[in-house]
Amino acid sequence: MNAEAADCIFCKIIAGEIPSTKVSEDEDTYVFMDINPGTRGHALVIPKRHTTDLTTIGPADLTSVVLKAQEIAKRALSSLPADGVNLINCCGAAAWQTVFHFHLHVVPRYAEDGLAVPWKPGQGGDAEVIAAAAEALRG
Ligand code: 5GP
Ligand code: ZN
């Protein structure tokens, strides 16, 4: 593990050193609930291999993450159920990236949820709401 990965909170989440509400994981990806959701069911899809951002992720990991995000988005629509979904990636601090381990936000959208970017934490941030939404996303 390189120095950047050793300091990375998402690598610590994958390793179980920091708790998370996990939705699913496979060989290449890990999916968990955002601690400060923009809407109910807001999840993050990350590659297990540490990489900084959109410019550094390899093609195989990018493919795995996007396909996983598609799966979670479909489940958000069918199980939460959401009315729509935004996939969001922030690349660089100027684009609001705050955690420098590549991630795709899967943000379920609800008619008239009023979400605007950058979103303010708090919508759907209650621990019980997060746990119930994670269960719905597990399918
Ligand atoms: P970014 O701004 O880098 O695109 O998004 C980082 C996201 O990670 C934010 O939405 C933030 O709420 C989430 N986040 C930061 N630290 C933690 C954490 O320790 N646990 C979880 N579950 N999410 C986190
Ligand atoms: Zn990392």
Side-chain angles (χ1 to χ4, degrees), residues 68-138:
K68 182 57 68 174
Q70 182 192 40
E71 190 184 311
I72 299 296
K74 285 184 185 170
R75 213 166 291 141
L77 291 165
S78 64
S79 301
L80 285 169
D83 302 311
V85 179
N86 285 123
L87 291 189
I88 299 172
N89 170 251
C90 302
C91 181
W96 309 320
Q97 186 173 8
T98 58
V99 177
F100 290 84
H101 177 132
F102 178 86
H103 50 281
L104 272 187
H105 296 262
V106 181
V107 186
R109 300 301 306 274
Y110 306 91
E112 309 194 21
D113 62 25
L115 186 72
V117 287
W119 55 80
K120 303 271 184 296
Q123 290 177 277
D126 178 84
E128 278 180 27
V129 173
I130 290 177
E135 186 54 34
L137 291 177
R138 286 180 196 118

Side-chain angles (χ1 to χ4, degrees), residues 5 9 26 28 44-45 59 64 68 101 103 120:
I9 55 170
D26 59 24
D28 301 314
L44 299 171
V45 182
S64 301
K68 182 57 68 174
H101 177 132
H103 50 281
K120 303 271 184 296

